[in-house]
Amino acid sequence: MNNLFDQLQEQGASPALIGVVRALVAATGDIAQRVRRGALADILGATHSENVQGETQQRLDVIANTLVKDYLLRCPAVALLASEEEAQVVPAHQDGKYLVAFDPLDGSSNIDINAPIGTIFSIYPVRKGIAIESEAQFQQPGRAQVCAGYVLYGPSTLLMITLGRLTQCYTLNPTDEVYRLTADALQIPPAAQEFAINMSNAHFWQTSMQAYVNDLVLGETGPRGKRFNMRWSAAMVGDVHRILIRGGIFLYPSDSRNAQQPAKLRLLYEANPMALLVETAGGKAWTEHQPILDTVAQQLHQRVPVILGAAQEVDACLGYVTE
Ligand code: F6P
C-alpha cells in the first residue's frame, strides 16, 4: 500500500486524475534516467535559443519540455497545457478534464554542475463556460489546484505530491522504477532556524525586506534573539524540499533590478504548486500582499514575489514587509 498510485486512489483521486499523474511520472522517469547519465546522455550545455522569458535555454530544458509535453498530450484526461518553455498554451484533448501547468526543468543553472534540479507541476480542473483552448482557463486561484508537486532529481529521485489533504514524499526505487511512500503527512515546524534567499540582490530589495534579513543575520545579538543559518541551492525545488523536510523560510522577494519585472518566480508553475505543498504541510505561502493561493493569474507567465515556509517565520517577515 505504499505504492504511489494505490495511495492516490485511497485519497480519492479519480482515474482521470491518476492518469495525468501517471503521464507525469512516466515523463519525469525518462528525464531522471537522462539526468543520471549526465554528460554520457549528451544533455549538458546551452542551446542557442531563448525561451519566452528571454532566458537562454539549456539543452535539458528543451529535452525535458518535449518529454513532459509529449507524455501529457498522449493522456486523454488532459485538456490544455502551460509550460515555462512555451509562449502560449498548448491544446491537448477537447474532452479532457484537466489543465496542467509545469516547469519542465527547474534550477537550470544547476544542470551542468550535477546539483539538484527538478520538474514542478500543477493540475487544475477545466473551467466550464470558457473555451477549452483559451489561456483564460488558467485564470484560477491556486486554491483550485486538484494536485501539485515536483520531482527532484538529486542523489535519489523523489516525488513530492499533494491532492490538498496530505503532503507526501515518494522515493523512486531504481530497481523496479516504482515510487514508494517514504515520508507521509509532512508538517513544517512553525518556527524556523534557516532561511533561503539570494543575498546578492539585497541592495535591490525594498528597505523593509532589507531590515527583516538584517535582523535574521544579527542572530542572538539582534531583535530576533536567536541565530539563523542560511542555505541557497539556486533551484527552487531544492530549497523548498529542504523546507518541507527540515523547516525554514524561502524568499524570492520583489526587487528593483528590472522595472518591467519586479518579481522573478512564476505564479502558475512555480509559486502555486509549492504554495499548495507548503500550506498542506502546515506552512504559509505569501506574495508580499496576500496568500499566493488566493492570487488569480492574469497572464500565463505572471511572476510573483514568494515568501513561504514555517508559519511563524512567514508571519514575522510579513510583519516587516506589510508595515
Ligand atoms: O527561475 C527559477 C529559479 O532557477 C529557481 O529555481 C530559483 O529559486 C531561482 O530561479 C534562482 O535564482 P537566482 O538566479 O537568483 O539564484
Side-chain angles (χ1 to χ4, degrees):
M1 260 330 229
N2 65 358
N3 168 299
L4 168 66
F5 298 108
D6 292 341
Q7 284 281 332
L8 295 180
Q9 203 176 357
E10 199 172 279
Q11 290 173 51
S14 67
L17 182 57
I18 292 178
V20 181
V21 177
R22 274 190 197 281
L24 287 163
V25 163
T28 53
D30 211 326
I31 298 169
Q33 284 185 13
R34 292 168 202 241
V35 169
R36 243 177 272 143
R37 294 183 60 224
L40 302 176
D42 208 14
I43 55 163
L44 306 187
T47 64
H48 295 295
S49 47
E50 285 187 348
N51 66 11
V52 59
Q53 343 247 354
E55 300 159 345
T56 303
Q57 287 179 305
Q58 301 300 304
R59 294 174 74 187
L60 191 57
D61 287 327
V62 177
I63 294 167
N65 185 51
T66 305
L67 285 169
V68 178
K69 194 169 71 169
D70 287 356
Y71 274 96
L72 288 173
L73 287 175
R74 287 202 292 271
C75 172
V78 176
L80 195 64
L81 304 178
S83 163
E84 184 194 1
E85 305 298 333
E86 303 280 337
Q88 314 290 342
V89 288
V90 181
H93 300 274
Q94 282 284 333
D95 52 355
K97 286 189 155 76
Y98 297 107
L99 320 172
V100 186
F102 59 94
D103 178 351
L105 212 288
D106 178 61
S108 302
S109 67
N110 281 353
I111 298 171
D112 288 1
I113 59 163
N114 205 19
I117 48 180
T119 299
I120 311 174
F121 60 89
S122 164
I123 308 176
Y124 291 85
V126 161
R127 293 174 73 192
K128 301 220 163 52
I130 290 177
I132 196 85
E133 298 183 357
S134 165
E135 183 178 314
Q137 282 288 348
F138 282 99
Q139 288 175 2
Q140 311 190 33
R143 290 203 192 283
Q145 293 171 101
V146 292
C147 178
Y150 58 77
V151 173
L152 175 62
Y153 313 108
S156 48
T157 299
L158 302 171
L159 169 68
M160 190 69 80
I161 190 167
T162 181
L163 301 180
R165 281 198 293 128
L166 297 171
T167 295
Q168 296 184 307
C169 185
Y170 294 83
T171 304
L172 188 66
N173 182 356
T175 54
D176 58 7
E177 295 287 317
V178 170
Y179 275 110
R180 306 269 174 210
L181 182 64
T182 44
D184 201 3
L186 290 170
Q187 283 295 308
I188 301 172
Q193 320 297 331
E194 290 182 344
F195 67 102
I197 195 165
N198 184 343
M199 290 290 288
S200 70
N201 297 327
H203 57 293
F204 295 108
W205 300 331
Q206 47 181 307
T207 47
S208 55
M209 183 56 73
Q210 290 170 340
Y212 166 68
V213 176
N214 277 343
D215 287 352
L216 294 182
V217 173
L218 286 173
E220 299 91 330
T221 59
R224 301 298 306 275
K226 71 172 189 181
R227 185 173 143 63
F228 290 84
N229 197 3
M230 199 205 88
R231 291 283 183 266
W232 184 248
S233 76
M236 192 186 193
V237 278
D239 288 314
V240 174
H241 190 67
R242 187 183 53 255
I243 281 157
L244 284 166
I245 299 295
R246 211 165 68 178
I249 185 168
F250 169 91
L251 308 106
Y252 214 114
S254 57
D255 63 53
S256 60
R257 278 177 293 171
N258 173 355
Q260 313 306 319
Q261 192 183 294
K264 171 154 187 180
L265 300 178
R266 275 58 57 106
L267 176 60
L268 281 176
Y269 39 81
E270 292 178 318
N272 268 341
M274 296 312 200
L276 191 65
L277 289 165
V278 165
E279 277 204 7
T280 307
K284 280 192 155 185
W286 276 58
T287 68
E288 286 153 356
H289 306 289
Q290 62 180 352
I292 289 171
L293 295 177
D294 291 340
T295 314
V296 177
Q298 300 305 322
Q299 289 165 13
L300 204 57
H301 298 289
Q302 184 171 331
R303 297 171 189 260
V304 287
V306 171
I307 301 170
L308 61 76
Q312 285 172 10
E313 195 54 42
V314 171
D315 284 343
C317 176
L318 293 173
Y320 288 72
V321 174
T322 56
E323 232 170 39

